[in-house]
Amino acid sequence: MTTKRFYYVVFVGKVPSIYESWIACSEQVTRFPGAAFKKYPSLEEANNAWTAYRRPHSNVQLLSPQLPELPTDYPPLLVPVQANMDDHTPSKLPKHCVYIAMLLLGVVIGILLLLVIMYIFF
């Protein structure tokens, strides 16, 4: 029985390139924020995807010199994804700072309301 061989393209990772094993690929993407990779059934498909991705990202270099570049006119394959989808804080401050600011604002508004009520009734 022959095992099917796959090739892994690491588009965004520690060392972006084409890898011949999942172990090598996983070393590049594990614990890497925003990592992007994909498995391909042939070296030609993996190289086509890598070349198509690399064109608009010219600062990324192919690290496997034995792989030939095949000309393709594919559009870019990846769209950047926000790392923390649950974070809807519009500012760059950490969440706890925003919560403290909201608490202080609530306290100030409460004191002002108390002063207005005291002025009106007393």
mmCIF file of all heavy atoms in Angstrom, residues 10-61:
data_model
loop_
_atom_site.group_PDB
_atom_site.id
_atom_site.type_symbol
_atom_site.label_atom_id
_atom_site.label_comp_id
_atom_site.label_asym_id
_atom_site.label_seq_id
_atom_site.Cartn_x
_atom_site.Cartn_y
_atom_site.Cartn_z
ATOM 1 N N VAL A 10 3.206 27.064 3.815
ATOM 2 C CA VAL A 10 3.055 27.984 4.945
ATOM 3 C C VAL A 10 3.144 29.386 4.360
ATOM 4 O O VAL A 10 4.208 29.838 3.944
ATOM 5 C CB VAL A 10 4.148 27.757 6.007
ATOM 6 C CG1 VAL A 10 4.042 28.805 7.106
ATOM 7 C CG2 VAL A 10 4.039 26.360 6.581
ATOM 8 N N PHE A 11 1.980 30.050 4.270
ATOM 9 C CA PHE A 11 1.932 31.404 3.726
ATOM 10 C C PHE A 11 2.369 32.414 4.783
ATOM 11 O O PHE A 11 3.117 33.337 4.505
ATOM 12 C CB PHE A 11 0.516 31.736 3.251
ATOM 13 C CG PHE A 11 0.040 30.831 2.155
ATOM 14 C CD1 PHE A 11 -0.827 29.791 2.425
ATOM 15 C CD2 PHE A 11 0.458 31.015 0.854
ATOM 16 C CE1 PHE A 11 -1.281 28.960 1.419
ATOM 17 C CE2 PHE A 11 0.022 30.183 -0.157
ATOM 18 C CZ PHE A 11 -0.849 29.148 0.124
ATOM 19 N N VAL A 12 1.877 32.234 6.002
ATOM 20 C CA VAL A 12 2.228 33.110 7.119
ATOM 21 C C VAL A 12 2.615 32.206 8.274
ATOM 22 O O VAL A 12 1.807 31.407 8.739
ATOM 23 C CB VAL A 12 1.038 34.011 7.529
ATOM 24 C CG1 VAL A 12 1.418 34.897 8.699
ATOM 25 C CG2 VAL A 12 0.554 34.835 6.359
ATOM 26 N N GLY A 13 3.852 32.309 8.712
ATOM 27 C CA GLY A 13 4.351 31.479 9.799
ATOM 28 C C GLY A 13 5.758 31.895 10.161
ATOM 29 O O GLY A 13 6.243 32.932 9.709
ATOM 30 N N LYS A 14 6.431 31.072 10.957
ATOM 31 C CA LYS A 14 7.798 31.402 11.370
ATOM 32 C C LYS A 14 8.713 31.507 10.164
ATOM 33 O O LYS A 14 9.464 32.467 10.033
ATOM 34 C CB LYS A 14 8.315 30.360 12.358
ATOM 35 C CG LYS A 14 7.529 30.329 13.657
ATOM 36 C CD LYS A 14 7.948 29.179 14.544
ATOM 37 C CE LYS A 14 7.027 29.086 15.753
ATOM 38 N NZ LYS A 14 7.223 27.866 16.509
ATOM 39 N N VAL A 15 8.682 30.514 9.282
ATOM 40 C CA VAL A 15 9.464 30.526 8.043
ATOM 41 C C VAL A 15 8.520 30.131 6.898
ATOM 42 O O VAL A 15 8.301 28.945 6.662
ATOM 43 C CB VAL A 15 10.664 29.559 8.105
ATOM 44 C CG1 VAL A 15 11.459 29.616 6.813
ATOM 45 C CG2 VAL A 15 11.557 29.876 9.296
ATOM 46 N N PRO A 16 7.925 31.116 6.201
ATOM 47 C CA PRO A 16 7.018 30.797 5.104
ATOM 48 C C PRO A 16 7.752 30.062 3.985
ATOM 49 O O PRO A 16 8.815 30.499 3.541
ATOM 50 C CB PRO A 16 6.528 32.164 4.623
ATOM 51 C CG PRO A 16 6.769 33.081 5.771
ATOM 52 C CD PRO A 16 7.994 32.551 6.461
ATOM 53 N N SER A 17 7.180 28.955 3.531
ATOM 54 C CA SER A 17 7.794 28.158 2.478
ATOM 55 C C SER A 17 6.894 26.967 2.181
ATOM 56 O O SER A 17 5.770 26.893 2.663
ATOM 57 C CB SER A 17 9.185 27.678 2.916
ATOM 58 O OG SER A 17 9.838 27.062 1.831
ATOM 59 N N ILE A 18 7.411 26.012 1.387
ATOM 60 C CA ILE A 18 6.719 24.769 1.091
ATOM 61 C C ILE A 18 7.402 23.652 1.874
ATOM 62 O O ILE A 18 8.633 23.549 1.854
ATOM 63 C CB ILE A 18 6.748 24.471 -0.417
ATOM 64 C CG1 ILE A 18 6.053 25.590 -1.190
ATOM 65 C CG2 ILE A 18 6.106 23.128 -0.713
ATOM 66 C CD1 ILE A 18 6.165 25.473 -2.687
ATOM 67 N N TYR A 19 6.591 22.824 2.545
ATOM 68 C CA TYR A 19 7.125 21.747 3.368
ATOM 69 C C TYR A 19 6.565 20.414 2.902
ATOM 70 O O TYR A 19 5.432 20.340 2.428
ATOM 71 C CB TYR A 19 6.809 21.990 4.846
ATOM 72 C CG TYR A 19 7.518 23.214 5.373
ATOM 73 C CD1 TYR A 19 6.926 24.470 5.306
ATOM 74 C CD2 TYR A 19 8.799 23.120 5.874
ATOM 75 C CE1 TYR A 19 7.594 25.599 5.751
ATOM 76 C CE2 TYR A 19 9.475 24.238 6.328
ATOM 77 C CZ TYR A 19 8.865 25.472 6.261
ATOM 78 O OH TYR A 19 9.544 26.581 6.698
ATOM 79 N N GLU A 20 7.358 19.368 3.061
ATOM 80 C CA GLU A 20 6.970 18.043 2.585
ATOM 81 C C GLU A 20 6.325 17.172 3.653
ATOM 82 O O GLU A 20 5.913 16.065 3.362
ATOM 83 C CB GLU A 20 8.196 17.320 2.014
ATOM 84 C CG GLU A 20 8.742 17.980 0.778
ATOM 85 C CD GLU A 20 9.928 17.245 0.195
ATOM 86 O OE1 GLU A 20 10.460 16.338 0.868
ATOM 87 O OE2 GLU A 20 10.315 17.575 -0.920
ATOM 88 N N SER A 21 6.228 17.655 4.887
ATOM 89 C CA SER A 21 5.603 16.860 5.943
ATOM 90 C C SER A 21 4.794 17.768 6.857
ATOM 91 O O SER A 21 5.091 18.967 6.999
ATOM 92 C CB SER A 21 6.656 16.111 6.764
ATOM 93 O OG SER A 21 7.375 17.015 7.577
ATOM 94 N N TRP A 22 3.778 17.167 7.475
ATOM 95 C CA TRP A 22 2.966 17.923 8.412
ATOM 96 C C TRP A 22 3.788 18.346 9.629
ATOM 97 O O TRP A 22 3.606 19.422 10.177
ATOM 98 C CB TRP A 22 1.755 17.108 8.852
ATOM 99 C CG TRP A 22 1.081 17.737 10.039
ATOM 100 C CD1 TRP A 22 0.954 17.209 11.275
ATOM 101 C CD2 TRP A 22 0.495 19.043 10.093
ATOM 102 N NE1 TRP A 22 0.316 18.101 12.107
ATOM 103 C CE2 TRP A 22 0.025 19.246 11.395
ATOM 104 C CE3 TRP A 22 0.331 20.065 9.172
ATOM 105 C CZ2 TRP A 22 -0.613 20.409 11.803
ATOM 106 C CZ3 TRP A 22 -0.297 21.229 9.577
ATOM 107 C CH2 TRP A 22 -0.769 21.398 10.878
ATOM 108 N N ILE A 23 4.709 17.511 10.048
ATOM 109 C CA ILE A 23 5.537 17.831 11.215
ATOM 110 C C ILE A 23 6.341 19.108 10.956
ATOM 111 O O ILE A 23 6.369 20.009 11.792
ATOM 112 C CB ILE A 23 6.458 16.649 11.571
ATOM 113 C CG1 ILE A 23 5.609 15.459 12.031
ATOM 114 C CG2 ILE A 23 7.470 17.034 12.635
ATOM 115 C CD1 ILE A 23 6.381 14.168 12.215
ATOM 116 N N ALA A 24 6.972 19.181 9.786
ATOM 117 C CA ALA A 24 7.756 20.377 9.453
ATOM 118 C C ALA A 24 6.852 21.599 9.352
ATOM 119 O O ALA A 24 7.211 22.692 9.808
ATOM 120 C CB ALA A 24 8.512 20.157 8.153
ATOM 121 N N CYS A 25 5.669 21.406 8.764
ATOM 122 C CA CYS A 25 4.723 22.520 8.628
ATOM 123 C C CYS A 25 4.234 22.986 9.996
ATOM 124 O O CYS A 25 4.205 24.183 10.277
ATOM 125 C CB CYS A 25 3.552 22.094 7.755
ATOM 126 S SG CYS A 25 2.225 23.302 7.654
ATOM 127 N N SER A 26 3.858 22.041 10.842
ATOM 128 C CA SER A 26 3.308 22.408 12.149
ATOM 129 C C SER A 26 4.323 23.147 13.009
ATOM 130 O O SER A 26 3.950 23.988 13.818
ATOM 131 C CB SER A 26 2.783 21.174 12.878
ATOM 132 O OG SER A 26 3.840 20.314 13.228
ATOM 133 N N GLU A 27 5.603 22.857 12.839
ATOM 134 C CA GLU A 27 6.631 23.587 13.590
ATOM 135 C C GLU A 27 6.641 25.074 13.207
ATOM 136 O O GLU A 27 7.022 25.919 14.007
ATOM 137 C CB GLU A 27 8.010 22.980 13.327
ATOM 138 C CG GLU A 27 8.197 21.620 13.951
ATOM 139 C CD GLU A 27 9.511 20.963 13.540
ATOM 140 O OE1 GLU A 27 10.255 21.538 12.719
ATOM 141 O OE2 GLU A 27 9.783 19.862 14.048
ATOM 142 N N GLN A 28 6.221 25.374 11.984
ATOM 143 C CA GLN A 28 6.240 26.753 11.501
ATOM 144 C C GLN A 28 4.985 27.538 11.880
ATOM 145 O O GLN A 28 5.015 28.766 11.920
ATOM 146 C CB GLN A 28 6.408 26.778 9.976
ATOM 147 C CG GLN A 28 7.628 26.051 9.482
ATOM 148 C CD GLN A 28 8.908 26.527 10.141
ATOM 149 O OE1 GLN A 28 9.129 27.725 10.287
ATOM 150 N NE2 GLN A 28 9.746 25.599 10.547
ATOM 151 N N VAL A 29 3.886 26.841 12.142
ATOM 152 C CA VAL A 29 2.624 27.542 12.391
ATOM 153 C C VAL A 29 2.130 27.444 13.827
ATOM 154 O O VAL A 29 1.278 28.238 14.241
ATOM 155 C CB VAL A 29 1.525 27.049 11.420
ATOM 156 C CG1 VAL A 29 1.903 27.354 9.993
ATOM 157 C CG2 VAL A 29 1.244 25.569 11.595
ATOM 158 N N THR A 30 2.634 26.475 14.603
ATOM 159 C CA THR A 30 2.185 26.315 15.979
ATOM 160 C C THR A 30 2.619 27.521 16.807
ATOM 161 O O THR A 30 3.768 27.932 16.761
ATOM 162 C CB THR A 30 2.769 25.020 16.583
ATOM 163 O OG1 THR A 30 2.361 23.927 15.765
ATOM 164 C CG2 THR A 30 2.293 24.808 18.006
ATOM 165 N N ARG A 31 1.655 28.072 17.527
ATOM 166 C CA ARG A 31 1.877 29.248 18.390
ATOM 167 C C ARG A 31 2.367 30.463 17.620
ATOM 168 O O ARG A 31 3.092 31.306 18.163
ATOM 169 C CB ARG A 31 2.840 28.923 19.532
ATOM 170 C CG ARG A 31 2.286 27.886 20.475
ATOM 171 C CD ARG A 31 3.244 27.609 21.597
ATOM 172 N NE ARG A 31 2.735 26.523 22.398
ATOM 173 C CZ ARG A 31 2.514 26.618 23.693
ATOM 174 N NH1 ARG A 31 2.781 27.710 24.324
ATOM 175 N NH2 ARG A 31 2.038 25.584 24.341
ATOM 176 N N PHE A 32 1.981 30.550 16.355
ATOM 177 C CA PHE A 32 2.309 31.728 15.547
ATOM 178 C C PHE A 32 0.995 32.462 15.275
ATOM 179 O O PHE A 32 0.133 31.945 14.572
ATOM 180 C CB PHE A 32 2.981 31.329 14.232
ATOM 181 C CG PHE A 32 3.555 32.505 13.496
ATOM 182 C CD1 PHE A 32 4.861 32.888 13.709
ATOM 183 C CD2 PHE A 32 2.783 33.225 12.595
ATOM 184 C CE1 PHE A 32 5.395 33.980 13.041
ATOM 185 C CE2 PHE A 32 3.303 34.311 11.922
ATOM 186 C CZ PHE A 32 4.616 34.690 12.148
ATOM 187 N N PRO A 33 0.809 33.669 15.851
ATOM 188 C CA PRO A 33 -0.458 34.387 15.688
ATOM 189 C C PRO A 33 -0.735 34.694 14.211
ATOM 190 O O PRO A 33 0.122 35.201 13.501
ATOM 191 C CB PRO A 33 -0.243 35.686 16.466
ATOM 192 C CG PRO A 33 0.938 35.447 17.331
ATOM 193 C CD PRO A 33 1.771 34.389 16.671
ATOM 194 N N GLY A 34 -1.927 34.380 13.766
ATOM 195 C CA GLY A 34 -2.318 34.676 12.395
ATOM 196 C C GLY A 34 -1.707 33.762 11.355
ATOM 197 O O GLY A 34 -1.652 34.115 10.176
ATOM 198 N N ALA A 35 -1.234 32.589 11.773
ATOM 199 C CA ALA A 35 -0.614 31.654 10.833
ATOM 200 C C ALA A 35 -1.604 31.245 9.755
ATOM 201 O O ALA A 35 -2.802 31.120 10.004
ATOM 202 C CB ALA A 35 -0.106 30.420 11.572
ATOM 203 N N ALA A 36 -1.085 31.046 8.527
ATOM 204 C CA ALA A 36 -1.925 30.614 7.410
ATOM 205 C C ALA A 36 -1.164 29.567 6.617
ATOM 206 O O ALA A 36 -0.021 29.790 6.225
ATOM 207 C CB ALA A 36 -2.280 31.800 6.525
ATOM 208 N N PHE A 37 -1.808 28.412 6.412
ATOM 209 C CA PHE A 37 -1.166 27.327 5.671
ATOM 210 C C PHE A 37 -2.243 26.502 5.007
ATOM 211 O O PHE A 37 -3.420 26.588 5.340
ATOM 212 C CB PHE A 37 -0.319 26.462 6.599
ATOM 213 C CG PHE A 37 -1.111 25.788 7.685
ATOM 214 C CD1 PHE A 37 -1.577 24.501 7.516
ATOM 215 C CD2 PHE A 37 -1.391 26.453 8.866
ATOM 216 C CE1 PHE A 37 -2.313 23.884 8.509
ATOM 217 C CE2 PHE A 37 -2.128 25.844 9.868
ATOM 218 C CZ PHE A 37 -2.584 24.552 9.687
ATOM 219 N N LYS A 38 -1.834 25.689 4.020
ATOM 220 C CA LYS A 38 -2.780 24.827 3.327
ATOM 221 C C LYS A 38 -2.052 23.604 2.796
ATOM 222 O O LYS A 38 -0.888 23.676 2.420
ATOM 223 C CB LYS A 38 -3.449 25.577 2.179
ATOM 224 C CG LYS A 38 -4.576 24.799 1.549
ATOM 225 C CD LYS A 38 -5.370 25.634 0.582
ATOM 226 C CE LYS A 38 -6.477 24.779 -0.014
ATOM 227 N NZ LYS A 38 -7.223 25.483 -1.034
ATOM 228 N N LYS A 39 -2.783 22.474 2.741
ATOM 229 C CA LYS A 39 -2.243 21.203 2.262
ATOM 230 C C LYS A 39 -2.613 21.042 0.788
ATOM 231 O O LYS A 39 -3.738 21.327 0.382
ATOM 232 C CB LYS A 39 -2.832 20.068 3.098
ATOM 233 C CG LYS A 39 -2.435 18.684 2.643
ATOM 234 C CD LYS A 39 -2.908 17.618 3.607
ATOM 235 C CE LYS A 39 -4.388 17.398 3.512
ATOM 236 N NZ LYS A 39 -4.857 16.236 4.279
ATOM 237 N N TYR A 40 -1.654 20.543 -0.017
ATOM 238 C CA TYR A 40 -1.875 20.305 -1.439
ATOM 239 C C TYR A 40 -1.447 18.883 -1.792
ATOM 240 O O TYR A 40 -0.478 18.363 -1.239
ATOM 241 C CB TYR A 40 -1.085 21.303 -2.288
ATOM 242 C CG TYR A 40 -1.587 22.715 -2.126
ATOM 243 C CD1 TYR A 40 -1.027 23.562 -1.168
ATOM 244 C CD2 TYR A 40 -2.625 23.184 -2.898
ATOM 245 C CE1 TYR A 40 -1.500 24.852 -1.005
ATOM 246 C CE2 TYR A 40 -3.103 24.480 -2.738
ATOM 247 C CZ TYR A 40 -2.541 25.303 -1.802
ATOM 248 O OH TYR A 40 -3.018 26.582 -1.626
ATOM 249 N N PRO A 41 -2.143 18.253 -2.755
ATOM 250 C CA PRO A 41 -1.828 16.869 -3.101
ATOM 251 C C PRO A 41 -0.610 16.712 -4.002
ATOM 252 O O PRO A 41 -0.083 15.610 -4.134
ATOM 253 C CB PRO A 41 -3.096 16.386 -3.820
ATOM 254 C CG PRO A 41 -3.729 17.617 -4.345
ATOM 255 C CD PRO A 41 -3.365 18.716 -3.393
ATOM 256 N N SER A 42 -0.138 17.800 -4.626
ATOM 257 C CA SER A 42 1.036 17.682 -5.495
ATOM 258 C C SER A 42 1.961 18.871 -5.301
ATOM 259 O O SER A 42 1.536 19.947 -4.882
ATOM 260 C CB SER A 42 0.617 17.607 -6.969
ATOM 261 O OG SER A 42 0.133 18.855 -7.408
ATOM 262 N N LEU A 43 3.216 18.652 -5.636
ATOM 263 C CA LEU A 43 4.208 19.720 -5.530
ATOM 264 C C LEU A 43 3.881 20.850 -6.491
ATOM 265 O O LEU A 43 4.065 22.019 -6.175
ATOM 266 C CB LEU A 43 5.609 19.158 -5.800
ATOM 267 C CG LEU A 43 6.754 20.165 -5.746
ATOM 268 C CD1 LEU A 43 6.831 20.823 -4.380
ATOM 269 C CD2 LEU A 43 8.071 19.467 -6.077
ATOM 270 N N GLU A 44 3.366 20.517 -7.649
ATOM 271 C CA GLU A 44 3.031 21.541 -8.640
ATOM 272 C C GLU A 44 1.927 22.470 -8.114
ATOM 273 O O GLU A 44 2.037 23.688 -8.220
ATOM 274 C CB GLU A 44 2.581 20.886 -9.944
ATOM 275 C CG GLU A 44 2.251 21.898 -11.029
ATOM 276 C CD GLU A 44 1.811 21.251 -12.326
ATOM 277 O OE1 GLU A 44 1.719 20.014 -12.388
ATOM 278 O OE2 GLU A 44 1.561 22.002 -13.267
ATOM 279 N N GLU A 45 0.883 21.895 -7.515
ATOM 280 C CA GLU A 45 -0.188 22.715 -6.952
ATOM 281 C C GLU A 45 0.318 23.576 -5.796
ATOM 282 O O GLU A 45 -0.048 24.743 -5.671
ATOM 283 C CB GLU A 45 -1.333 21.839 -6.470
ATOM 284 C CG GLU A 45 -2.135 21.208 -7.579
ATOM 285 C CD GLU A 45 -3.251 20.362 -7.033
ATOM 286 O OE1 GLU A 45 -4.195 20.930 -6.423
ATOM 287 O OE2 GLU A 45 -3.203 19.134 -7.209
ATOM 288 N N ALA A 46 1.157 23.000 -4.962
ATOM 289 C CA ALA A 46 1.712 23.758 -3.840
ATOM 290 C C ALA A 46 2.570 24.908 -4.350
ATOM 291 O O ALA A 46 2.482 26.031 -3.847
ATOM 292 C CB ALA A 46 2.537 22.840 -2.942
ATOM 293 N N ASN A 47 3.373 24.639 -5.364
ATOM 294 C CA ASN A 47 4.239 25.680 -5.917
ATOM 295 C C ASN A 47 3.406 26.768 -6.609
ATOM 296 O O ASN A 47 3.730 27.952 -6.515
ATOM 297 C CB ASN A 47 5.257 25.079 -6.881
ATOM 298 C CG ASN A 47 6.412 26.017 -7.125
ATOM 299 O OD1 ASN A 47 6.794 26.767 -6.235
ATOM 300 N ND2 ASN A 47 6.959 25.985 -8.316
ATOM 301 N N ASN A 48 2.337 26.366 -7.300
ATOM 302 C CA ASN A 48 1.448 27.358 -7.934
ATOM 303 C C ASN A 48 0.822 28.266 -6.883
ATOM 304 O O ASN A 48 0.756 29.484 -7.066
ATOM 305 C CB ASN A 48 0.351 26.659 -8.732
ATOM 306 C CG ASN A 48 0.858 26.061 -10.022
ATOM 307 O OD1 ASN A 48 1.952 26.393 -10.490
ATOM 308 N ND2 ASN A 48 0.086 25.164 -10.595
ATOM 309 N N ALA A 49 0.352 27.683 -5.798
ATOM 310 C CA ALA A 49 -0.257 28.472 -4.728
ATOM 311 C C ALA A 49 0.766 29.395 -4.091
ATOM 312 O O ALA A 49 0.488 30.569 -3.819
ATOM 313 C CB ALA A 49 -0.865 27.548 -3.678
ATOM 314 N N TRP A 50 1.955 28.886 -3.838
ATOM 315 C CA TRP A 50 3.014 29.697 -3.238
ATOM 316 C C TRP A 50 3.377 30.865 -4.146
ATOM 317 O O TRP A 50 3.497 32.002 -3.708
ATOM 318 C CB TRP A 50 4.237 28.833 -2.955
ATOM 319 C CG TRP A 50 5.397 29.639 -2.477
ATOM 320 C CD1 TRP A 50 6.509 29.965 -3.180
ATOM 321 C CD2 TRP A 50 5.545 30.264 -1.202
ATOM 322 N NE1 TRP A 50 7.336 30.736 -2.418
ATOM 323 C CE2 TRP A 50 6.776 30.940 -1.200
ATOM 324 C CE3 TRP A 50 4.762 30.307 -0.068
ATOM 325 C CZ2 TRP A 50 7.228 31.651 -0.105
ATOM 326 C CZ3 TRP A 50 5.222 31.014 1.027
ATOM 327 C CH2 TRP A 50 6.441 31.672 1.002
ATOM 328 N N THR A 51 3.518 30.582 -5.446
ATOM 329 C CA THR A 51 3.873 31.630 -6.411
ATOM 330 C C THR A 51 2.774 32.681 -6.493
ATOM 331 O O THR A 51 3.058 33.880 -6.524
ATOM 332 C CB THR A 51 4.121 31.014 -7.800
ATOM 333 O OG1 THR A 51 5.136 30.022 -7.678
ATOM 334 C CG2 THR A 51 4.568 32.054 -8.792
ATOM 335 N N ALA A 52 1.516 32.238 -6.525
ATOM 336 C CA ALA A 52 0.400 33.177 -6.595
ATOM 337 C C ALA A 52 0.330 34.047 -5.338
ATOM 338 O O ALA A 52 0.019 35.229 -5.420
ATOM 339 C CB ALA A 52 -0.913 32.415 -6.764
ATOM 340 N N TYR A 53 0.633 33.466 -4.190
ATOM 341 C CA TYR A 53 0.626 34.243 -2.949
ATOM 342 C C TYR A 53 1.814 35.190 -2.895
ATOM 343 O O TYR A 53 1.704 36.322 -2.445
ATOM 344 C CB TYR A 53 0.656 33.307 -1.736
ATOM 345 C CG TYR A 53 0.776 34.056 -0.429
ATOM 346 C CD1 TYR A 53 -0.311 34.706 0.114
ATOM 347 C CD2 TYR A 53 1.994 34.131 0.240
ATOM 348 C CE1 TYR A 53 -0.215 35.404 1.295
ATOM 349 C CE2 TYR A 53 2.102 34.827 1.429
ATOM 350 C CZ TYR A 53 1.011 35.460 1.949
ATOM 351 O OH TYR A 53 1.104 36.154 3.107
ATOM 352 N N ARG A 54 2.946 34.733 -3.359
ATOM 353 C CA ARG A 54 4.180 35.490 -3.239
ATOM 354 C C ARG A 54 4.200 36.728 -4.119
ATOM 355 O O ARG A 54 4.821 37.728 -3.767
ATOM 356 C CB ARG A 54 5.355 34.587 -3.574
ATOM 357 C CG ARG A 54 6.648 35.084 -2.978
ATOM 358 C CD ARG A 54 7.745 34.182 -3.327
ATOM 359 N NE ARG A 54 8.306 34.693 -4.559
ATOM 360 C CZ ARG A 54 9.233 34.117 -5.255
ATOM 361 N NH1 ARG A 54 9.698 32.966 -4.878
ATOM 362 N NH2 ARG A 54 9.692 34.643 -6.339
ATOM 363 N N ARG A 55 3.531 36.675 -5.259
ATOM 364 C CA ARG A 55 3.558 37.825 -6.171
ATOM 365 C C ARG A 55 3.163 39.136 -5.495
ATOM 366 O O ARG A 55 3.917 40.085 -5.542
ATOM 367 C CB ARG A 55 2.656 37.553 -7.364
ATOM 368 C CG ARG A 55 3.444 37.259 -8.564
ATOM 369 C CD ARG A 55 2.619 37.248 -9.824
ATOM 370 N NE ARG A 55 3.346 36.399 -10.746
ATOM 371 C CZ ARG A 55 2.884 35.313 -11.293
ATOM 372 N NH1 ARG A 55 1.649 34.959 -11.067
ATOM 373 N NH2 ARG A 55 3.630 34.597 -12.075
ATOM 374 N N PRO A 56 1.971 39.219 -4.882
ATOM 375 C CA PRO A 56 1.616 40.486 -4.239
ATOM 376 C C PRO A 56 2.325 40.720 -2.903
ATOM 377 O O PRO A 56 2.224 41.775 -2.331
ATOM 378 C CB PRO A 56 0.106 40.378 -4.029
ATOM 379 C CG PRO A 56 -0.196 38.936 -4.051
ATOM 380 C CD PRO A 56 0.848 38.285 -4.895
ATOM 381 N N HIS A 57 3.029 39.726 -2.409
ATOM 382 C CA HIS A 57 3.773 39.850 -1.150
ATOM 383 C C HIS A 57 5.255 39.678 -1.460
ATOM 384 O O HIS A 57 5.892 38.735 -1.010
ATOM 385 C CB HIS A 57 3.308 38.775 -0.151
ATOM 386 C CG HIS A 57 1.853 38.827 0.123
ATOM 387 N ND1 HIS A 57 0.933 38.168 -0.662
ATOM 388 C CD2 HIS A 57 1.130 39.479 1.071
ATOM 389 C CE1 HIS A 57 -0.278 38.405 -0.205
ATOM 390 N NE2 HIS A 57 -0.184 39.196 0.839
ATOM 391 N N SER A 58 5.814 40.597 -2.212
ATOM 392 C CA SER A 58 7.164 40.421 -2.747
ATOM 393 C C SER A 58 8.249 40.390 -1.680
ATOM 394 O O SER A 58 9.365 39.967 -1.957
ATOM 395 C CB SER A 58 7.471 41.537 -3.745
ATOM 396 O OG SER A 58 7.392 42.788 -3.104
ATOM 397 N N ASN A 59 7.951 40.817 -0.443
ATOM 398 C CA ASN A 59 8.976 40.766 0.602
ATOM 399 C C ASN A 59 9.166 39.352 1.143
ATOM 400 O O ASN A 59 10.091 39.097 1.889
ATOM 401 C CB ASN A 59 8.640 41.724 1.738
ATOM 402 C CG ASN A 59 7.326 41.366 2.409
ATOM 403 O OD1 ASN A 59 6.464 40.747 1.811
ATOM 404 N ND2 ASN A 59 7.180 41.769 3.652
ATOM 405 N N VAL A 60 8.297 38.400 0.771
ATOM 406 C CA VAL A 60 8.425 37.003 1.194
ATOM 407 C C VAL A 60 9.241 36.272 0.138
ATOM 408 O O VAL A 60 8.959 36.359 -1.046
ATOM 409 C CB VAL A 60 7.038 36.339 1.342
ATOM 410 C CG1 VAL A 60 7.181 34.895 1.750
ATOM 411 C CG2 VAL A 60 6.197 37.100 2.344
ATOM 412 N N GLN A 61 10.265 35.542 0.541
ATOM 413 C CA GLN A 61 11.146 34.850 -0.389
ATOM 414 C C GLN A 61 10.952 33.338 -0.293
ATOM 415 O O GLN A 61 10.726 32.801 0.771
ATOM 416 C CB GLN A 61 12.615 35.185 -0.079
ATOM 417 C CG GLN A 61 12.943 36.650 -0.244
ATOM 418 C CD GLN A 61 12.745 37.132 -1.662
ATOM 419 O OE1 GLN A 61 13.096 36.432 -2.607
ATOM 420 N NE2 GLN A 61 12.170 38.302 -1.824
#
